Amino acid sequence: MSDIYFSQIREDSLVEREISRIVRPQKVLVVGSGGCTAFSILTDTINQVLCVDVNPAQCALIELKKAAIQHFSLNDFLSFIGETKCDNRGEMYEEMAEELPEYARHFWKLHRSEIEMGINHCGINERFYRFIGENICRNVYDETVWNQLFSAKNLAEQQRFYEEYLTTAQWRTAVKILLSKTTHLQFFPSFMFKNASEHDFGNFFLSQFEKEVKTRPIHNNYFLSQILFSTYLYDHVEGVPFYLTPEGYEEVKRNIDKMFIYPMSIQNLLEKENSIDAFYLSNVFDWADEKGKASICSRVIQAKSANSVLIFRNMLSTSILPDRFIRDEELSLRCETLERSMLYQKITVGQFV
Ligand SMILES: C[S@@+](CC[C@H](N)C(=O)[O-])C[C@H]1O[C@@H](n2cnc3c(N)ncnc32)[C@H](O)[C@@H]1O
């Protein structure tokens, strides 16, 4: 079985929550990854969440988070996943192990050290971001400098921070090296970067980061604090994924039985599904070739309900979908203004007609 790539999702579920609030879907398909979006949309008003990931390791992770939500209080859940200190994660796992599906139990039997470490930190992506954050804090600017940015009171203060710290050759060179294709390839398989050149990610992040710091409040940007310090911002509104807030955790606990986890491709799952009101597709089209993209679209068309909505993100490239797809400009722009992860150049919300 493959490894876990994403312990946490680096996509802002404010986007999917906003669309769910507007569209009120009953049945949703959501890409699994680290599970944060699926758990954060599991509200009282929804009937079914189909959470799908072609990587069974991601599904084993989501199954374990699901079981832990059922078993533990929020504080114990945070300890178990590695957000706070804990010296009995192994015992906590044993309490739940029997309830996991066979494939997930088998996965965790082979990955006990990841349970001990805390499953919110065990992904390859998390290892990559720890490497980036530790390097930046050790060699470029330490925590005291970054805390000035997180405690900035307004955009003018953030802009002054930008001019002072983020225009220097030291910062720009460090980002380019740390986010180069060469560095990525130390952590990720090459197929993920076949269309990227050496400095695409570094240049992209520099411009995304500039936009974020100059134009949007940073104080609750937990994506940035995760990159720099591997922590959420518990003391701030929207400083953690919704399901990790006291209110969100109670809601997901109440609704956890509405969530179904499928270790398979979207295409395979949709072969047997229908009446889906919303498709929250992460950035899967960045991962698919033209044939894969076409097959996902044709399955979506076949499995959708009458007014079904679709969301997808694009990182470096953009995706053109078949003519039957109509982008909702207003909603797409609204979602782009909500997204704080800085990793996507475009978010598309729309419908197949
Ligand atoms: C598209 S990736 C991107 C990661 C994401 N941006 C994040 O921050 O977590 C998310 C997940 O999609 C899964 N995936 C990619 N293509 C898929 C497909 N056709 N069907 C099901 N899952 C897919 C991958 O295994 C991965 O775990």
Side-chain angles (χ1 to χ4, degrees):
M1 198 186 284
S2 172
D3 291 317
I4 291 172
Y5 279 91
F6 309 100
S7 285
Q8 303 165 32
I9 300 196
R10 312 292 166 148
E11 293 172 19
D12 202 330
S13 60
L14 272 175
V15 166
E16 283 76 6
R17 284 163 53 209
E18 174 71 353
I19 296 303
S20 291
R21 191 184 62 76
I22 296 168
V23 175
R24 300 229 154 217
Q26 293 297 295
K27 185 172 176 182
V28 176
L29 176 137
V30 57
V31 169
S33 190
C36 317
T37 303
F39 291 125
S40 293
I41 57 160
L42 204 52
T43 58
D44 295 333
T45 56
I46 221 161
N47 269 349
Q48 267 185 77
V49 171
L50 315 180
C51 177
V52 60
D53 202 298
V54 72
N55 179 355
Q58 295 298 145
C59 293
L61 171 76
I62 301 167
E63 287 284 3
L64 183 52
K65 286 188 181 177
K66 179 181 171 186
I69 289 170
Q70 286 169 306
H71 270 258
F72 302 124
S73 67
L74 175 57
N75 281 345
D76 288 348
F77 180 83
L78 291 172
S79 304
F80 177 69
I81 66 172
E83 288 305 308
T84 52
K85 273 180 76 125
C86 181
D87 50 19
N88 65 338
R89 292 193 183 108
E91 287 162 37
M92 291 172 89
Y93 172 73
E94 291 305 334
E95 269 186 56
M96 308 175 269
E98 284 306 307
E99 290 156 38
L100 296 176
E102 173 60 32
Y103 78 91
R105 217 169 35 246
H106 178 69
F107 177 85
W108 291 114
K109 195 172 163 192
L110 302 176
H111 293 83
R112 291 302 290 246
S113 62
E114 272 125 312
I115 290 175
E116 298 297 343
M117 153 192 215
I119 57 173
N120 223 27
H121 302 288
C122 70
I124 291 171
N125 205 39
E126 283 61 40
R127 201 158 9 107
F128 175 62
Y129 281 130
R130 271 200 301 285
F131 172 81
I132 305 277
E134 283 167 13
N135 260 286
I136 288 174
C137 289
R138 197 178 327 115
N139 301 319
V140 191
Y141 303 130
D142 68 17
E143 210 164 322
T144 56
V145 171
W146 293 113
N147 284 341
Q148 291 176 42
L149 178 59
F150 282 105
S151 58
K153 291 188 187 58
N154 50 44
L155 289 179
E157 280 188 24
Q158 291 184 196
Q159 284 157 9
R160 280 196 291 279
F161 181 95
Y162 182 85
E163 295 307 328
E164 182 168 356
Y165 293 107
L166 305 180
T167 53
T168 63
Q170 184 192 9
W171 165 251
R172 299 181 77 82
T173 308
V175 169
K176 281 199 183 177
I177 294 170
L178 290 169
L179 292 179
S180 65
K181 181 170 174 176
T182 306
T183 311
H184 274 87
L185 289 175
Q186 309 306 308
F187 294 83
F188 300 97
S190 57
F191 81 87
M192 291 185 183
F193 306 100
K194 63 176 187 299
N195 298 323
S197 62
E198 183 66 1
H199 291 303
D200 280 353
F201 283 101
N203 287 330
F204 175 63
F205 183 75
L206 282 171
S207 81
Q208 294 284 100
F209 195 39
E210 175 175 0
K211 189 167 85 186
E212 202 70 21
V213 173
K214 286 182 169 174
T215 63
R216 301 171 196 203
I218 291 293
H219 64 90
N220 68 352
N221 190 323
Y222 68 83
F223 298 94
L224 181 60
S225 71
Q226 278 289 351
I227 293 174
L228 291 170
F229 318 129
S230 301
T231 56
Y232 294 121
L233 297 165
Y234 290 97
D235 296 337
H236 291 268
V237 175
E238 298 293 348
V240 289
F242 181 62
Y243 85 104
L244 295 181
T245 64
E247 180 198 356
Y249 196 74
E250 284 314 307
E251 191 158 12
V252 69
K253 232 179 189 329
R254 277 199 300 277
N255 293 292
I256 198 81
D257 291 336
K258 298 175 182 172
M259 180 175 181
F260 304 88
I261 300 161
Y262 298 94
M264 59 178 74
S265 70
I266 297 167
Q267 296 92 313
N268 282 352
L269 176 63
L270 290 184
E271 228 178 312
K272 300 180 271 309
E273 283 296 338
N274 56 49
S275 312
I276 296 179
D277 303 310
F279 298 83
Y280 297 158
L281 293 187
S282 173
N283 62 324
V284 288
F285 294 129
D286 286 343
W287 287 44
D289 56 17
E290 287 306 314
K291 206 168 139 217
K293 210 187 301 174
S295 75
I296 293 173
C297 290
S298 71
R299 295 285 188 216
V300 166
I301 291 167
Q302 178 196 309
K304 76 184 195 62
S305 66
N307 292 313
S308 178
V309 67
L310 188 144
I311 303 176
F312 64 91
R313 290 167 174 76
N314 286 107
M315 199 175 244
L316 292 177
S317 60
T318 53
S319 302
I320 309 291
L321 297 197
D323 288 349
R324 287 182 63 183
F325 183 77
I326 309 291
R327 176 179 156 100
D328 183 324
E329 289 300 332
E330 195 189 323
L331 278 186
S332 300
L333 283 178
R334 193 190 305 188
C335 289
E336 283 174 358
T337 60
L338 291 173
E339 176 72 56
R340 295 166 294 173
S341 72
M342 300 174 280
L343 293 176
Y344 307 96
Q345 61 164 302
K346 195 168 174 192
I347 300 182
T348 303
V349 183
Q351 286 193 316
F352 280 106
V353 289

